[in-house]
Amino acid sequence: MSGHERTVMHRVLNIPELLDMVFSFLEPPSNAVNARVCRRWSEIALDALWKDVRDLELLFGLLAPLRISGGKDGYLEFERMPDSSDWKRFDRYTKRVRRVEYDALGCKIPLHKSVFDDVARTRTRLDILPNMHTLHWKASLELAVMFMHKAIKNFAVYLPELNEISPRPFFEDVSTRMPNLTSLDIRTNIPVQRIENEMVNLFQQLPKIQKVTFPRYYFTTRIAEVLSKLENLGVVEFQYLDYQGSGDVQDVIPFVPSFTEGAFPALWDHSMAVSFDDAARFLDIPFSPTNLTMLYLDSYMIESPFAIRKLLNVISENCQLLTFLALVSLRDAGSPSLPEPQSDTSHPDHAITVNTLKPLFKLPNLTSLELVHQFPLALNSEDIRLFAVSWPSIRSLMLNTEPAHLTKSNLTLHDLLPFAQHCTKLRHLGLFIDSRLPTSEQPSTPSSSSTSSAVPNSTPAVQFKSLERLSMGVSLIDDENAVTLFLSQILPLNCQIDSGITWDETLPVHPGISSVVQDRCMLWLKVSELLPVLTKLRAEERARTRAMEMELEDLRMRTKVLNDSASIGVRLDISSCVMI
């Protein structure tokens, strides 16, 4: 390396913004080493090292030495009481902390309560982490209080079973000590009915809230009414994750809020777990939210096509700005799968046809749609083509990939092609198909004694342009090789295939259904493993074919020139000519 190159590198490695970007991608041990390189690097590396604290043991260990006590079930406590000199040294690190996450149950060796008492008793300033803006807490609620201050914007807290103890004192600390909260994440398994009064009072004291995250079944009538009055609230959501917890479905029955003028002035992203009839009423009553661009609805019951059509009519009339819509109906796989409604007239009330879904076409801005239901959608190839033609700008489309009744589908692999042809921006597609069925493009009659695949081997006329993920759910399959050969012709490189279920884990699953799902997922997994190699080979074949076609065209042009010249009596030597 020349001296000039060394000088340039030295200048580059002394740009603070560049160093901060590089250090942000490194692991803590690497930044600990960087902090000892030089003074300039030390400050930037320490900022990166202590920006996000997930282990309070390491942070408090900078204040005073910690030791293990308590015998077999050990815990950590200070060897000595921190003094003013310790706090003076500790301040060098506390100002760097932006985010703290503490999970007492997730620690290998938990901190004893005395550690928090010693910190609170000896601190030299009220805000021990003055620049912290995010606090995630899963431990004794009273211990979180000393970390609260007015600069905190994001707060996530797990509420343990409180028995007869009211959370009101803790909520009062939250609203008083963190009045500028913009994001509140409540995680608990306590039914909301037990703490609803306290929750309502809390939100009345947090006017700057912009985002609220709940457990499932927490968006009750009273909660909806109090949230409707928050001027800055833009996002209301719930999560299915285990750590988020879940409430009691009975708490959202009935769901009959009423609003005053100016309700939900800023709400644009909304999720709630209520019946579709209640959701339709919520979106259609006076002063309901009108600026929604994202809507996620999860029903606790198996919804009828009538209820779905009614809801979609309301949505198409009142939510014209929607770009994302998810309608999730309960799936119950506790009994053996019955014949599907499109083939069994005894279940006509469950047949979700294209007419049920037609109001969706009135949403001009929709780019993401997810439908989930107990029964397969009663769609055919023409219906699928209608979907593809109607939504050329769709980016994500999930059409009930994992119904609990999973023995029949009218759709085949060739029903993927309309989306490849018309939806050039599509990145995620999910269908419930029967990959064993013969296709209309290449009719075939499967043997009566076998369900062997009738997938054609000829190259389809179209390929997906932007598809990144293809979700097959519990789609029927028995020949992974034939399916892989077909998909390798239409999918782009690096497109991922997934399968499986996301059914409510609190409900039992029939062993027969579980076995079928497992067998199908194993075959789809084999497809996902074989597909990258075959797709790459297909791409190389297409590249060679294009090269040969160009060479052939060049030869044709040369031949034409020779023939034209010969016809007028001119002899040309074109061996060195370049045809353009």
Side-chain angles (χ1 to χ4, degrees):
M1 184 181 293
S2 66
H4 174 70
E5 290 174 333
R6 284 195 296 270
T7 300
V8 171
M9 180 174 291
H10 180 75
R11 289 177 178 175
V12 169
L13 294 179
N14 277 278
I15 299 175
E17 294 80 7
L18 180 60
L19 284 175
D20 182 58
M21 184 183 301
V22 172
F23 290 171
S24 67
F25 290 101
L26 299 179
E27 296 295 325
S30 298
N31 280 325
V33 173
N34 293 334
R36 295 192 288 269
V37 171
C38 63
R39 179 168 297 180
R40 182 185 295 270
W41 277 35
S42 178
E43 291 301 307
I44 300 174
L46 286 175
D47 282 344
L49 188 61
W50 293 106
K51 180 179 181 179
D52 189 351
V53 175
R54 296 176 181 270
D55 192 342
L56 282 180
E57 171 193 347
L58 295 178
L59 183 65
F60 286 158
L62 298 173
L63 180 60
L66 293 166
R67 66 185 178 193
I68 301 176
S69 303
K72 182 179 180 180
D73 298 328
Y75 52 80
L76 292 171
E77 62 180 4
F78 283 127
E79 290 185 358
R80 58 174 176 80
M81 186 75 72
D83 56 30
S84 58
S85 61
D86 293 325
W87 279 101
K88 185 176 181 180
R89 182 185 67 255
F90 189 56
D91 281 345
R92 182 188 179 194
Y93 302 95
T94 58
K95 296 177 182 179
R96 306 177 192 275
V97 177
R98 299 294 186 271
R99 183 179 186 275
V100 169
E101 181 174 341
Y102 182 58
D103 181 355
L105 297 178
C107 299
K108 292 182 178 178
I109 305 177
L111 293 169
H112 193 264
K113 183 177 180 297
S114 64
V115 173
F116 296 92
D117 292 339
D118 292 343
V119 170
R121 187 180 303 112
T122 63
R123 57 184 172 179
T124 56
R125 56 187 302 167
L126 186 62
D127 302 337
I128 60 175
L129 302 174
N131 295 321
M132 179 177 66
H133 56 66
T134 300
L135 177 61
H136 288 194
W137 196 259
K138 187 177 181 180
S140 178
L141 298 182
E142 62 182 15
L143 301 181
V145 175
M146 73 176 183
F147 294 97
M148 298 179 180
H149 56 77
K150 294 182 179 180
I152 294 180
K153 302 292 185 179
N154 310 295
F155 183 46
V157 60
Y158 177 78
L159 300 179
E161 287 289 343
L162 301 175
N163 297 322
E164 300 301 323
I165 302 176
S166 170
R168 182 179 293 274
F170 176 74
F171 285 166
E172 289 178 350
D173 281 325
V174 170
S175 60
T176 301
R177 299 171 185 270
M178 300 185 291
N180 298 314
L181 279 181
T182 59
S183 174
L184 178 61
D185 185 343
I186 302 294
R187 305 171 179 180
T188 185
N189 286 304
I190 302 174
V192 68
Q193 185 179 22
R194 290 170 48 188
I195 58 173
E196 190 172 44
N197 292 333
E198 291 82 356
M199 292 284 292
V200 168
N201 183 67
L202 172 64
F203 287 118
Q204 290 173 340
Q205 305 303 317
L206 295 174
K208 297 184 180 181
I209 283 289
Q210 299 175 12
K211 178 180 179 180
V212 176
T213 304
F214 287 125
R216 201 174 179 188
Y217 307 126
Y218 255 58
F219 193 70
T220 64
T221 296
R222 292 188 62 197
I223 296 293
E225 290 174 346
V226 70
L227 292 181
S228 70
K229 300 176 183 178
L230 298 180
E231 295 182 357
N232 301 297
L233 184 63
V235 179
V236 177
E237 65 178 13
F238 71 89
Q239 298 289 346
Y240 295 104
L241 301 171
D242 289 340
Y243 67 72
Q244 195 72 46
S246 180
D248 187 341
V249 65
Q250 295 301 320
D251 291 343
V252 295
I253 305 174
F255 181 70
V256 287
S258 60
F259 304 130
T260 57
E261 186 175 0
F264 292 114
L267 188 66
W268 61 273
D269 182 354
H270 184 49
S271 305
M272 59 180 177
V274 297
S275 72
F276 285 179
D277 281 341
D278 285 342
R281 181 186 181 278
F282 170 80
L283 296 170
D284 203 34
I285 60 176
F287 313 118
S288 62
T290 58
N291 299 317
L292 292 176
T293 59
M294 303 182 71
L295 180 61
Y296 188 100
L297 301 175
D298 179 3
S299 175
Y300 50 80
M301 57 190 294
I302 300 175
E303 297 287 353
S304 68
F306 176 80
I308 295 173
R309 176 66 184 245
K310 175 184 174 183
L311 174 61
L312 290 178
N313 278 329
V314 171
I315 291 175
S316 65
E317 293 172 2
N318 299 307
C319 305
Q320 284 285 297
L321 300 179
L322 275 187
T323 61
F324 171 91
L325 175 62
L327 302 181
V328 179
S329 174
L330 176 70
R331 287 158 297 175
D332 183 1
S335 59
S337 184
L338 299 174
E340 270 56 46
Q342 59 261 49
S343 62
D344 182 6
T345 57
S346 65
H347 296 278
D349 295 339
H350 294 296
I352 300 174
T353 66
V354 70
N355 290 326
T356 308
L357 306 176
K358 274 188 176 179
L360 288 168
F361 301 144
K362 299 178 183 179
L363 297 172
N365 300 302
L366 199 64
T367 58
S368 181
L369 173 67
E370 179 178 2
L371 296 175
V372 174
H373 199 266
Q374 173 85 356
F375 297 96
L377 303 181
L379 303 177
N380 56 37
S381 296
E382 288 303 314
D383 299 332
I384 290 298
R385 187 170 297 277
L386 177 61
F387 271 92
V389 172
S390 301
W391 284 330
S393 299
I394 197 77
R395 294 178 179 271
S396 178
L397 181 62
M398 297 287 289
L399 294 177
N400 200 26
T401 62
E402 24 178 305
H405 286 226
L406 41 68
T407 59
K408 178 176 171 56
S409 172
N410 291 335
L411 304 180
T412 72
L413 282 169
H414 265 279
D415 291 310
L416 299 174
L417 299 183
F419 297 109
Q421 180 180 0
H422 299 285
C423 305
T424 58
K425 299 180 181 180
L426 187 62
R427 297 183 180 275
H428 186 192
L429 174 63
L431 291 178
F432 175 61
I433 67 172
D434 188 344
S435 66
R436 310 166 305 171
L437 292 178
T439 61
S440 57
E441 283 79 356
Q442 289 206 358
S444 173
T445 303
S447 170
S448 59
S449 61
S450 172
T451 56
S452 61
S453 175
V455 177
N457 291 323
S458 60
T459 302
V462 294
Q463 288 85 34
F464 283 95
K465 303 296 189 300
S466 307
L467 198 66
E468 299 174 355
R469 184 179 172 192
L470 179 64
S471 296
M472 290 287 94
V474 293
S475 292
L476 289 80
I477 180 175
D478 65 357
D479 187 345
E480 70 274 19
N481 294 323
V483 172
T484 306
L485 285 172
F486 180 83
L487 292 179
S488 67
Q489 302 173 72
I490 65 173
L491 297 184
L493 286 171
N494 302 319
C495 180
Q496 303 294 317
I497 291 185
D498 62 55
S499 61
I501 58 175
T502 56
W503 297 338
D504 190 339
E505 295 182 357
T506 61
L507 298 176
V509 177
H510 189 275
I513 294 180
S514 179
S515 176
V516 170
V517 170
Q518 185 175 0
D519 291 343
R520 292 182 187 176
C521 288
M522 288 298 296
L523 292 176
W524 284 113
L525 178 60
K526 291 180 180 179
V527 172
S528 68
E529 293 172 347
L530 293 170
L531 188 62
V533 176
L534 282 181
T535 304
K536 184 177 181 180
L537 289 175
R538 294 285 190 187
E540 293 174 352
E541 287 178 1
R542 285 192 286 267
R544 285 195 295 268
T545 299
R546 285 193 295 269
M548 293 176 63
E549 290 173 347
M550 292 177 63
E551 184 177 352
L552 180 60
E553 182 64 21
D554 180 67
L555 290 173
R556 287 173 177 168
M557 293 179 66
R558 289 171 181 268
T559 301
K560 185 177 184 302
V561 170
L562 286 172
N563 291 336
D564 292 345
S565 300
S567 66
I568 60 175
V570 178
R571 298 182 61 185
L572 294 177
D573 180 9
I574 63 171
S575 61
S576 61
C577 292
V578 177
M579 307 303 294
I580 59 174

